[in-house]
Amino acid sequence: MAVSVAGGVRPGKLIEVERRLYQHLIVGKHKAAAMEDDINETLEADANKLDIERQAIQVRLDKQTKALAVFKAISNQLTETVNNSIEHKLASPDLLLTHSGVQEGQILLLDLLLDKDPNFGRIRPIISSISWLSRDLITLINSPASKHRRPKTSDVQVTDIKLILNYIGLENLRLLIPYFCSRHWLPSGHANLLWTTRKLWRYSMITAIAAQALAQLHNRPTHVSYTCALLYQLGTSVILSSSVKVFEKHWGNWLREASHSRDKEVYDAVMATEFPAEQIFNHVMEHGHHLNWQLLEQLEFSDSAITKVLKELDQDYHFSELSIDAAIVAKASCFAKIILLEEHQLLEPQERKVLLDYYEFTPQELIRLKAQNYRKLDLA
């Protein structure tokens, strides 16, 4: 007789599949195609050039025993230096938060938008104080492709935040603000993490769109599930952003020192050293979901619905014990894992069945989820 796994203690297979997904996202060499909203599109040539240079140096080093020994010694030392710096930051969430780009005003904004009837008098000045967010909204509303209610016959750029918020409307703001914040927290502008960032952003967007669809199906506030689904990768984004900054700082310093000393062997060894993806993957698996809510608590948002859902998802061991909003995010994340892993033939049919059984998917939920467009955020 088959034993049901529905909703109880997480089977080891689920933990294995989750590790496999993050291994694919962070360590995997797959070069993901850009989504329509990619913020790193101009980096693709740099990332490809860096990959080619490293491969060429590695081929050369492989043919030279002495040079290969130098490479291994230098590379291991650089990686250890970077890893020690990252571990120091991870040991102190407040230190990590300082350099994360996640700020109190951004989380307050997300929290205010969860209210049934948000106070625009409080929301407007917060948006105005966040320069990159104001810029994103202004760019959106003035785009020729914008569907929002600005006069189509006018060539004048709309820059007044009050007017922009009126054009966009509350429901679209509840989609756009978490979307822009989550995208901003990703490690952008780094050729070393271009492919990882693209894959992680796609995972986040699939999860968010799936959560929105499930919330609609179950008559729950869609903005709560959607926002929590996007912030489910907050800790991972912060770890990656902090790690790549540390790596590029040390890597650049070592390259300059080798160049000044005119030591070609050392220079090549540093140049060929890749971002320590395997070590960062382990940090993400250990700290990622904890940081989702710990960072928010550091900013004194312990009572926020967002923090409570993210804390539930990290601490509750049984799916059947989750609140409905947390369960929706867990299901959405599971469905996103299935999509991404099946695309690369990294999920066996029996594993898929275990996932669907554990998270208690109904036929109606699967029909609704399969009908969604996961390539683009659907604005009203």
Side-chain angles (χ1 to χ4, degrees):
M1 182 178 70
V3 178
S4 172
V5 298
V9 177
R10 289 179 73 205
K13 184 60 71 177
L14 262 69
I15 298 169
E16 180 188 324
V17 167
E18 181 169 36
R19 287 186 65 85
R20 192 183 309 153
L21 174 78
Y22 280 99
Q23 186 99 27
H24 165 68
L25 296 179
I26 298 170
V27 184
K29 297 296 186 181
H30 171 69
K31 295 183 177 182
M35 292 177 69
E36 291 186 23
D37 55 358
D38 188 68
I39 53 175
N40 287 307
E41 201 166 352
T42 55
L43 272 183
E44 190 159 334
D46 290 342
N48 282 320
K49 182 181 177 184
L50 192 57
D51 285 344
I52 291 166
E53 284 182 25
R54 281 177 172 153
Q55 288 168 14
I57 292 172
Q58 190 64 59
V59 168
R60 192 163 68 246
L61 291 174
D62 287 344
K63 295 177 181 177
Q64 304 171 34
T65 306
K66 181 185 173 185
L68 185 58
V70 171
F71 163 68
K72 287 181 178 178
I74 295 292
S75 182
N76 289 342
Q77 189 179 349
L78 175 55
T79 298
E80 185 178 354
T81 301
V82 170
N83 200 45
N84 288 341
S85 297
I86 293 164
E87 285 182 346
H88 175 65
K89 286 191 174 184
L90 287 171
S92 177
D94 57 334
L95 181 63
L96 193 64
L97 185 63
T98 303
H99 303 286
S100 69
V102 181
Q103 297 176 348
E104 180 184 355
Q106 300 159 11
I107 305 303
L108 177 59
L109 191 54
L110 298 180
D111 207 44
L112 290 173
L113 285 167
L114 297 186
D115 291 345
K116 188 175 181 180
D117 187 18
N119 182 343
F120 273 77
R122 292 188 68 191
I123 288 173
R124 275 195 301 272
I126 298 173
I127 292 176
S128 297
S129 71
I130 305 172
S131 58
W132 57 263
L133 181 56
S134 301
R135 186 172 61 249
D136 283 347
L137 292 172
I138 290 169
T139 301
L140 173 78
I141 206 70
N142 288 291
S143 166
S146 172
K147 297 178 181 178
H148 305 293
R149 297 189 301 274
R150 68 186 286 263
K152 299 299 178 186
T153 55
S154 173
D155 291 330
V156 179
Q157 292 275 302
V158 180
T159 57
D160 180 77
I161 287 296
K162 183 176 181 179
L163 199 55
I164 285 171
L165 299 189
N166 287 339
Y167 283 145
I168 293 174
L170 174 60
E171 290 311 309
N172 282 332
L173 283 172
R174 283 172 161 165
L175 294 177
L176 288 168
I177 301 294
Y179 168 93
F180 283 136
C181 284
S182 298
R183 197 175 68 166
H184 179 75
W185 295 327
L186 285 167
S188 61
H190 301 282
N192 282 293
L193 275 188
L194 174 65
W195 314 115
T196 295
T197 299
R198 283 185 178 174
K199 288 183 284 186
L200 184 62
W201 181 234
R202 183 149 182 255
Y203 176 39
S204 294
M205 284 307 304
I206 294 173
T207 304
I209 292 167
Q212 187 182 28
L214 289 172
Q216 288 171 343
L217 180 64
H218 294 290
N219 296 314
R220 296 295 299 167
T222 56
H223 47 286
V224 174
S225 300
Y226 167 83
T227 300
C228 292
L230 279 175
L231 267 68
Y232 197 41
Q233 300 309 317
L234 172 63
T236 298
S237 296
V238 168
I239 291 172
L240 287 170
S241 293
S242 179
S243 300
V244 76
K245 287 173 187 173
V246 168
F247 172 74
E248 290 181 354
K249 175 186 173 183
H250 287 291
W251 186 69
N253 288 341
W254 285 36
L255 271 182
R256 283 187 289 275
E257 288 175 13
S259 179
H260 290 155
S261 65
R262 299 188 179 183
D263 191 327
K264 188 172 181 349
E265 283 187 337
V266 173
Y267 183 91
D268 281 353
V270 176
M271 186 66 198
T273 300
E274 294 186 87
F275 177 75
E278 190 69 47
Q279 287 89 337
I280 305 311
F281 157 72
N282 290 325
H283 291 316
V284 166
M285 297 310 301
E286 183 178 354
H287 301 284
H289 290 332
H290 303 329
L291 285 171
N292 287 341
W293 57 271
Q294 287 175 343
L295 293 173
L296 301 188
E297 287 196 345
Q298 285 288 326
L299 292 170
E300 300 185 357
F301 285 92
S302 299
D303 294 330
S304 167
I306 302 169
T307 309
K308 289 176 180 177
V309 167
L310 295 175
K311 195 169 187 176
E312 255 192 282
L313 290 166
D314 177 41
Q315 295 188 336
D316 279 2
Y317 202 55
H318 298 182
F319 171 74
S320 58
E321 296 173 354
L322 294 176
S323 66
I324 186 166
D325 292 327
I328 284 172
V329 176
K331 283 192 171 192
S333 175
C334 170
F335 193 77
K337 288 182 179 74
I338 290 172
I339 289 177
L340 293 172
L341 289 173
E342 285 189 335
E343 280 180 352
H344 300 283
Q345 299 179 328
L346 294 172
L347 190 70
E348 298 295 330
Q350 65 270 25
E351 292 174 328
R352 186 182 197 274
K353 186 177 185 308
V354 170
L355 289 170
L356 296 178
D357 285 348
Y358 178 78
Y359 289 105
E360 301 175 2
F361 280 92
T362 66
Q364 191 179 13
E365 287 174 335
L366 292 174
I367 290 169
R368 180 67 65 94
L369 289 172
K370 288 173 183 175
Q372 303 305 308
N373 174 13
Y374 293 105
R375 288 288 174 185
K376 187 177 181 183
L377 188 61
D378 187 19
L379 300 174

